[in-house]
Amino acid sequence: MSEKLVDMLKTAGFDVLSCMQCGTCTGSCPSGRHTGFNTRRVLRDARKNKAEVLSDDDLWLCTTCYTCQERCPRGIPITDAILELRRLAVREGFILPEHRKVSEMVMECGHAVPLDEETKKKREELGLEPIPETVQKYPEALEELKTLLKCCKFDQLVAEK
Amino acid sequence: MTKLSLFLGCIVPNRYPGIEKATKLCFQRLGVDVSDLPGASCCPAPGIFKSFDKATWLALASRNIVLSERLGRDILTVCNGCYGSLADANMELKRDPEMRASTNNCLKGIGMEFKGTIEVRHIIEFLYKEFGPERLKDYIARPLDLKVALHYGCHMIKPSKVRNLGETECPIFFDELVEATGAKSLDYTDKMMCCGAGGGVRSGNVAVSLEMLEHKLACIRRAGVDCIVNACPFCHLQFDRGQLAVNERFGTDYSIPVLHYSQLLGLALGFSPDELGIEQNAVQNIEFLAKVYEISAGLR
Ligand code: SF4
Ligand code: SF4
């Protein structure tokens, strides 16, 4: 990674330099209550251009609840900046295996959570069609989806490097 | 009134079809024109796709939006995640010509074009703005004698700068819709806290996700409610299926019923629990089921 993290964030519209390290974000974080995840430190380390910010699995402990972003006295879009850091991490190949599986599921069937037999039965009990009116029912819709994913080179992005 | 298309997403049709049924029944009763949205896919899930790649997120979201543009209908979502993903994509594509051009370049490959002609709505925001609690009361056939722990969830109201649904520390509009059904929305500690499922945490770090959930469940139990009400099938799944996982992991014995608002409203409009899929939840609380059947039969 040659470019500085803080500059990449800035290009994406996130100025983290105005952070005054007050810790309101960390104190608001539901995930940080139960783990070592520390929102303020993520921002500080990004500022210091520490490459570990991207490789550290902690980056994936944020539920994107936006509480920190709402409360930051400096108005820093913290959650959106975390999402940007994640996108940079993914480009470096840092993807949790479970997340890779979910994206493969979408590539395969158009849903993150695919239909199963149990739910088909539940649908029929309710008087609904067993197969819902989604991409699962229309092969041509699934083809459209696959074309879009290919156009975005998504398969290459999530492929194991 | 606005014509809508029902965007199902993944969890509603593929895990909790009761929410699909309840939404259709409620909107029919309220006289709102809601169609299917054939061929729609995953929104796509913001926790994964927005975290991975912006271009892919926009391409998949815009395809769903264009399907509804072709019908000339606004999109109705019944999920905070789908709402966040689709409303954000719709907004970004409407205001950023560059992003729109590159997304349309991709859409061209499947004969589509994003035109920016429709809005994305969330069931709660829609009911609040188009009906409001007072008008909704006119439709109530069975006032619900229930005490409720309401869970707003995150992405319906946040980020507040773009959602425009008021402040996020202590909102009341959703509570008002709950109370329009006759139910009582009780206060509880950390009511506005996340359920712990979002951002890819439930899929990627299930232990942490369940710890957050356990904290919420403990707060809710202390409040002494009949059920939890949410407006998001992912929160719904976390509270319902996650509750069993919490019991297994922490040796607890939670058995708190979970309803999506469409199911709560459906009961109050006079539909029966089995029409609304309330018995299809993972949490099976016999006492609660007996109570809602009594309400629906007009016995209490
Ligand atoms: S709340 Fe804002 S200013 Fe305070 S530490 Fe967090 S990012 Fe910095
Ligand atoms: S958005 Fe993420 S970092 Fe911010 S408070 Fe929520 S979980 Fe913590």
Side-chain angles (χ1 to χ4, degrees):
Chain A
M1 201 175 47
S2 49
E3 219 184 322
K4 284 195 166 165
L5 265 182
V6 71
D7 294 334
M8 288 195 273
L9 283 174
K10 196 153 189 188
T11 315
F14 305 107
D15 187 3
V16 294
L17 286 175
S18 62
C19 169
M20 56 183 180
Q21 293 289 312
C22 70
T24 303
C25 47
T26 301
S28 307
C29 182
S31 190
R33 267 198 206 179
H34 300 277
T35 64
F37 178 60
N38 185 330
T39 319
R40 180 182 59 88
R41 203 163 54 214
V42 171
L43 293 193
R44 192 190 59 195
D45 289 353
R47 232 161 94 160
K48 291 188 176 160
N49 200 39
K50 286 199 181 161
E52 300 90 77
V53 176
L54 301 189
S55 60
D56 192 344
D57 284 351
D58 274 11
L59 192 55
W60 300 90
L61 287 175
C62 165
T63 67
T64 70
C65 75
Y66 281 98
T67 312
C68 54
Q69 181 156 327
E70 292 292 329
R71 291 182 183 170
C72 172
R74 287 292 167 97
I76 299 172
I78 306 171
T79 316
D80 292 329
I82 289 175
L83 287 171
E84 183 64 27
L85 286 171
R86 285 181 171 186
R87 292 189 283 262
L88 296 170
V90 166
R91 261 186 261 161
E92 302 279 320
F94 300 114
I95 299 177
L96 295 181
E98 296 85 355
H99 290 159
R100 183 173 280 122
K101 253 187 234 146
V102 178
S103 36
E104 282 165 359
M105 190 60 79
V106 174
M107 288 194 268
E108 197 184 303
C109 73
H111 284 291
V113 180
L115 190 60
D116 57 11
E117 289 306 316
E118 190 191 334
T119 311
K120 273 192 207 169
K121 268 192 221 110
K122 287 183 177 173
R123 297 185 60 85
E124 287 183 307
E125 278 166 27
L126 291 164
L128 294 168
E129 290 292 323
I131 305 199
E133 281 295 315
T134 68
V135 61
Q136 298 165 110
K137 191 174 161 185
Y138 300 96
E140 62 283 10
L142 188 58
E143 279 316 306
E144 288 179 2
L145 213 73
K146 288 185 173 168
T147 307
L148 289 181
L149 287 164
K150 208 171 285 160
C151 172
C152 299
K153 300 193 171 66
F154 188 70
D155 50 340
Q156 290 173 32
L157 185 73
V158 298
E160 253 167 291
K161 284 172 187 130
Chain B
M1 194 183 291
T2 342
K3 289 184 173 181
L4 302 168
S5 74
L6 177 58
F7 180 81
L8 295 171
C10 301
I11 298 174
V12 166
N14 298 342
R15 288 296 178 273
Y16 289 98
I19 299 172
E20 177 177 339
K21 183 77 188 298
T23 303
K24 286 182 173 170
L25 289 174
C26 288
F27 276 78
Q28 225 165 36
R29 181 63 57 86
L30 296 174
V32 184
D33 181 346
V34 182
S35 77
D36 286 326
L37 188 57
S41 69
C42 177
C43 52
I48 306 280
F49 283 84
K50 223 177 159 185
S51 295
F52 274 26
D53 183 45
K54 210 158 180 181
T56 311
W57 165 59
L58 286 172
L60 265 50
S62 64
R63 180 181 164 274
N64 288 323
I65 294 168
V66 172
L67 289 175
S68 199
E69 283 187 352
R70 284 177 168 174
L71 300 177
R73 290 168 180 267
D74 285 348
I75 288 181
L76 173 68
T77 58
V78 290
C79 168
N80 289 358
C82 298
Y83 177 59
S85 194
L86 293 175
D88 284 352
N90 200 34
M91 179 189 66
E92 294 210 20
L93 291 171
K94 276 185 184 181
R95 76 171 175 204
D96 187 332
E98 235 170 88
M99 240 186 258
R100 181 165 167 166
S102 61
T103 300
N104 270 334
N105 202 23
C106 215
L107 285 174
K108 205 156 65 187
I110 58 170
M112 281 188 171
E113 187 193 356
F114 174 88
K115 296 208 171 87
T117 51
I118 61 158
E119 299 297 329
V120 177
R121 310 293 304 261
H122 183 287
I123 179 169
I124 298 307
E125 165 267 334
F126 181 89
L127 290 174
Y128 193 77
K129 287 185 188 149
E130 310 299 329
F131 284 83
E134 284 311 313
R135 247 185 86 206
L136 211 52
K137 281 180 194 160
D138 295 342
Y139 293 86
I140 303 303
R142 301 255 182 255
L144 306 178
D145 171 23
L146 293 174
K147 285 180 291 192
V148 160
L150 180 57
H151 175 74
Y152 277 74
C154 304
H155 300 135
M156 167 172 52
I157 52 173
K158 294 179 277 187
S160 58
K161 252 192 192 153
V162 296
R163 296 288 180 268
N164 287 315
L165 285 168
E167 63 90 32
T168 59
E169 298 289 348
C170 210
I172 56 164
F173 66 97
F174 192 4
D175 299 81
E176 289 173 5
L177 288 183
V178 166
E179 301 213 326
T181 68
K184 184 122 195 62
S185 174
L186 298 193
D187 211 0
Y188 63 95
T189 309
D190 283 331
K191 177 175 170 183
M192 294 314 295
M193 186 192 137
C194 171
C195 70
V201 176
R202 190 182 153 91
S203 54
N205 288 288
V206 72
V208 178
S209 175
L210 292 179
E211 276 182 45
M212 286 186 254
L213 176 64
E214 201 281 324
H215 174 78
K216 284 244 25 165
L217 290 170
C219 295
I220 288 170
R221 177 148 76 184
R222 273 200 298 276
V225 295
D226 292 299
C227 63
I228 296 168
V229 171
N230 61 74
C232 172
F234 199 29
C235 303
H236 188 96
L237 180 141
Q238 171 83 336
F239 278 117
D240 183 47
R241 298 190 178 205
Q243 206 172 144
L244 302 190
V246 160
N247 285 344
E248 202 166 298
R249 186 174 285 257
F250 302 101
T252 46
D253 59 352
Y254 292 110
S255 179
I256 311 172
V258 186
L259 299 187
H260 186 270
Y261 182 75
S262 58
Q263 295 173 309
L264 184 85
L265 180 63
L267 280 174
L269 295 179
F271 298 106
S272 74
D274 60 330
E275 282 177 290
L276 302 166
I278 290 171
E279 283 166 86
Q280 294 182 342
N281 275 347
V283 171
Q284 292 288 327
N285 183 316
I286 307 299
E287 227 174 288
F288 176 75
L289 279 179
K291 195 167 184 177
V292 289
Y293 268 106
E294 278 175 25
I295 291 173
S296 124
L299 298 173
R300 55 185 296 156

